[in-house]
Amino acid sequence: MSDTFKDQDTSTRQRRSPSKRLSISEEAQNVSGLPRAPFPLNLLEKPFQIKSLYGGPNLTEATGWAMDSAARGPLNQAGSFVGTALLRLALAEAGCENPRTCTTKVYGFKPTNILTMSSVVVGLASAILMPIVGAIVDHTKYRKFMGALTAFLVCFVTGLQLIISQDTWFPVLILEIFGGFFFIAHLTSTMAFLPDLTMDEAELSHYTARFNIAGFTFQMVYVSLIILTSEIVDSNNLLTAKISLAYAFPMASVLLGYAWTFLFHNRPPLRAVPDGSNLLTAGFVQVGKTSMRILRQYKSLRWFMFALLWSPESGAGAVLSITVTYMVTVLQMSTREVGITNLVMLVFTIPGSFFSQKMVQLINPLRSFRASLVFFSLSVGITGAILDSPEEKNWTYFFASLWGIAFGWVYPSQRVLQCTLIPKGQETEMMGVFAFFAQLLGWLPPLIFSIMNSRGVDMRWGIAMIAFFILFAFFITLLIGDYDAAVLEANPRSEKEEIYDEEDLQDKGEDTTDDNDS
């Protein structure tokens, strides 16, 4: 690392050191009467505790965030196993021998479109209804309650999907749609706690990387258990899907139940409901007002907001539905082979997360985010160009490693950039807008894919479309400009911060003098 980058990193840590000011989560922990889990139940949180970069007691909400991230992993991965089984059950009902050439429809759709069209429904419902969730998080004291409620609902729906069979596959598909919506609503509630954890950029990068590692590590354990169990019992595609649900339901229920009972704290309302509005309309009004303020006052934040429309997180479930459809239809992979592909990808997210943390510190979050988008786009594009038949499917595991590195790199970089560009005091409000924009066009890729598939267009163009979306997000980030200028635009230096910096420089000078004297 060059001296310039070292100086920038040091000054950033000094200016934002938690010793100057407590974060909202730290203040909540100091005054909260939240009950602590009794022994030996409290041992459950030990693997998820994350030490602060600056010492001191572990932050309970950071532990809760790590547990929540880990719990979301099996819920998300179960979707790929269930989705693979649903696709094959739909193909069986339609009597399709060759998925690529089959034109028979079930419930008005080609069988190979059922997953992508369900993602369209989830994306549209999320874009329309998520401002209401945001309003409850912002304008009421029920932020924690919303996180707990949506956690319960997504676990409940996951458990109900155990009824999956040839006769019940369509009702399970409907449950999958509801589960996808509840999952996004839960993520929206959880994201509101993220900027509260720390006011320090380096520590935020440290936390987000560890959250990513916790989530992907737990997913690895989960997928490994499914593959091992399915090998032992020699399961078919349907039984493998049921095994995935049988593991996901209790794992997620225990972790989410613990985190939202013992680790997350209540919050007072961020602001009152505006006059003339109610909870059903306040979210839409607030999103509109906040968006207009961003467009007028914060050039860098404006372009970042537009980049979110096309980023990999925009309708993340849509990417899953497209790739699962491609693996089953074009590569003709079994449910177990799809699981092994996921496992390889998850293994490589861990080095990707560590690499993300290093890149954020070395070249700043914006440049790291840009580089991760380019790498992600290239990985996806090359995958679609090479994997075009069942004979090539063994190469899937190599490309899964590239996708894993990309996922592990892009998400922590995006999270840190997202939090550092937000004006202080507006974190929850802005996070709600970001969550809205991240889902606003999430329905578009699967809709385009479904239309192309219905017209007989080669599915490889659907994979290429994902690469185009991600690359377009990269080009938009170029309009953000310089990272330090963007941070300064969002949070101009106050007189108090100037005094802190002068004190830090004086202390540094005194330390240097003492060292020379010695």
Side-chain angles (χ1 to χ4, degrees):
M1 187 186 300
S2 68
D3 291 337
T4 301
F5 284 126
K6 285 182 179 178
D7 291 340
Q8 289 176 350
D9 184 63
T10 302
S11 64
T12 299
R13 291 198 184 191
Q14 289 170 343
R15 186 167 63 249
R16 301 181 183 180
S17 173
S19 63
K20 304 296 185 184
R21 195 183 311 158
L22 291 178
S23 69
I24 295 175
S25 293
E26 289 168 327
E27 291 177 348
Q29 183 166 318
N30 288 340
V31 301
S32 175
L34 194 68
R36 300 296 295 154
F39 180 84
L41 184 61
N42 61 357
L43 296 177
L44 184 64
E45 68 183 72
K46 295 296 182 181
F48 302 97
Q49 291 177 345
I50 303 173
K51 292 187 179 296
S52 168
L53 287 179
Y54 304 98
N58 292 324
L59 193 59
T60 57
E61 287 189 344
T63 304
W65 229 98
M67 293 185 76
D68 190 279
S69 179
R72 293 197 304 268
L75 295 172
N76 191 45
Q77 285 297 320
S80 66
F81 289 102
V82 174
T84 303
L86 288 172
L87 183 52
R88 291 190 175 279
L89 292 171
L91 288 167
E93 182 164 320
C96 298
E97 295 184 2
N98 188 338
R100 298 188 75 170
T101 59
C102 182
T103 57
T104 307
K105 294 185 177 180
V106 288
Y107 296 97
F109 298 101
K110 289 180 66 174
T112 49
N113 276 346
I114 62 165
L115 296 184
T116 50
M117 287 307 298
S118 66
S119 292
V120 171
V121 175
V122 172
L124 286 172
S126 300
I128 294 170
L129 299 177
M130 215 47 61
I132 298 176
V133 177
I136 297 173
V137 170
D138 279 359
H139 299 296
T140 74
K141 61 181 180 180
Y142 299 114
R143 185 196 299 188
K144 177 182 175 179
F145 174 77
M146 280 300 298
L149 176 63
T150 52
F152 167 78
L153 289 173
V154 73
C155 289
F156 179 69
V157 169
T158 300
L160 285 180
Q161 291 180 64
L162 281 164
I163 66 171
I164 185 172
S165 68
Q166 184 66 63
D167 295 327
T168 62
W169 71 266
F170 189 72
V172 170
L173 179 64
I174 302 300
L175 288 172
E176 184 78 0
I177 292 173
F178 277 100
F181 173 77
F182 293 141
F183 187 89
I184 294 173
H186 178 71
L187 185 59
T188 299
S189 304
T190 307
M191 285 296 294
F193 287 87
L194 183 61
D196 291 355
L197 297 179
T198 179
M199 303 180 71
D200 181 82
E201 180 182 306
E203 188 165 47
L204 184 61
S205 173
H206 168 71
Y207 279 140
T208 53
R210 294 305 185 274
F211 296 154
N212 226 36
I213 292 169
F216 287 127
T217 301
F218 205 74
Q219 287 184 65
M220 278 195 321
V221 173
Y222 166 76
V223 174
S224 299
L225 284 172
I226 295 170
I227 294 172
L228 179 62
T229 305
S230 63
E231 287 286 349
I232 292 174
V233 302
D234 193 23
S235 63
N236 57 21
N237 293 309
L238 179 57
L239 182 56
T240 301
K242 289 188 174 184
I243 292 170
S244 73
L245 292 167
Y247 278 124
F249 175 65
M251 284 180 171
S253 298
V254 170
L255 291 180
L256 290 174
Y258 186 99
W260 290 94
T261 301
F262 298 111
L263 299 176
F264 285 100
H265 302 277
N266 288 310
R267 292 287 194 277
L270 186 65
R271 63 181 65 82
V273 176
D275 293 336
S277 298
N278 54 52
L279 284 179
L280 295 179
T281 61
F284 297 96
V285 173
Q286 188 61 53
V287 165
K289 288 182 177 179
T290 305
S291 299
M292 290 305 298
R293 188 165 72 252
I294 291 173
L295 292 174
R296 289 194 303 264
Q297 298 180 15
Y298 305 106
K299 179 183 78 71
S300 301
L301 201 56
R302 174 181 68 208
W303 291 118
F304 176 69
M305 189 170 67
F306 285 140
L308 286 180
L309 292 172
W310 313 94
S311 74
E313 194 170 21
S314 179
V319 175
L320 178 64
S321 66
I322 291 173
T323 53
V324 168
T325 299
Y326 190 85
M327 285 189 286
V328 173
T329 305
V330 176
L331 304 180
Q332 297 182 17
M333 299 179 76
S334 68
T335 304
R336 195 176 307 171
E337 289 172 327
V338 171
I340 295 173
T341 302
N342 288 340
L343 180 61
V344 173
M345 184 182 70
L346 292 168
V347 168
F348 281 88
T349 57
I350 295 178
S353 295
F354 280 115
F355 186 68
S356 177
Q357 184 179 3
K358 294 299 182 183
M359 291 294 284
V360 164
Q361 296 173 350
L362 181 65
I363 62 175
N364 78 44
L366 178 56
R367 290 175 181 169
S368 178
F369 184 50
R370 286 170 177 163
S372 68
L373 290 174
V374 172
F375 180 79
F376 208 149
S377 179
L378 290 174
S379 300
V380 173
I382 296 172
T383 300
I386 294 179
L387 301 181
D388 61 349
S389 68
E391 290 73 25
E392 306 290 342
K393 69 180 180 181
N394 287 336
W395 281 98
T396 305
Y397 307 120
F398 168 74
F399 289 107
S401 67
L402 299 182
W403 283 49
I405 293 172
F407 272 115
W409 183 0
V410 72
Y411 284 145
S413 298
Q414 178 179 311
R415 296 278 192 268
V416 175
L417 181 62
Q418 192 167 312
C419 292
T420 54
L421 293 184
I422 295 177
K424 298 303 178 186
Q426 303 178 44
E427 289 87 354
T428 304
E429 175 187 352
M430 294 288 187
M431 291 298 277
V433 173
F434 289 154
F436 174 75
F437 270 79
Q439 299 300 326
L440 189 59
L441 293 183
W443 51 270
L444 187 57
L447 178 61
I448 296 175
F449 181 92
S450 299
I451 293 173
M452 293 168 64
N453 185 35
S454 296
R455 295 180 179 272
V457 178
D458 193 323
M459 283 190 181
R460 286 188 296 170
W461 287 106
I463 298 296
M465 175 190 58
I466 299 175
F468 169 78
F469 270 57
I470 298 172
L471 189 61
F472 192 56
F474 161 74
F475 283 117
I476 294 177
T477 63
L478 296 178
L479 299 173
I480 295 175
D482 178 71
Y483 173 70
D484 291 331
V487 173
L488 192 61
E489 179 188 57
N491 294 286
R493 300 285 301 282
S494 67
E495 182 178 348
K496 188 174 183 179
E497 286 175 318
E498 296 286 354
I499 293 173
Y500 282 151
D501 275 357
E502 290 177 6
E503 292 175 349
D504 289 333
L505 290 173
Q506 290 174 2
D507 292 342
K508 186 176 179 180
E510 290 174 1
D511 291 341
T512 303
T513 303
D514 292 341
D515 291 340
N516 291 336
D517 291 342
S518 62

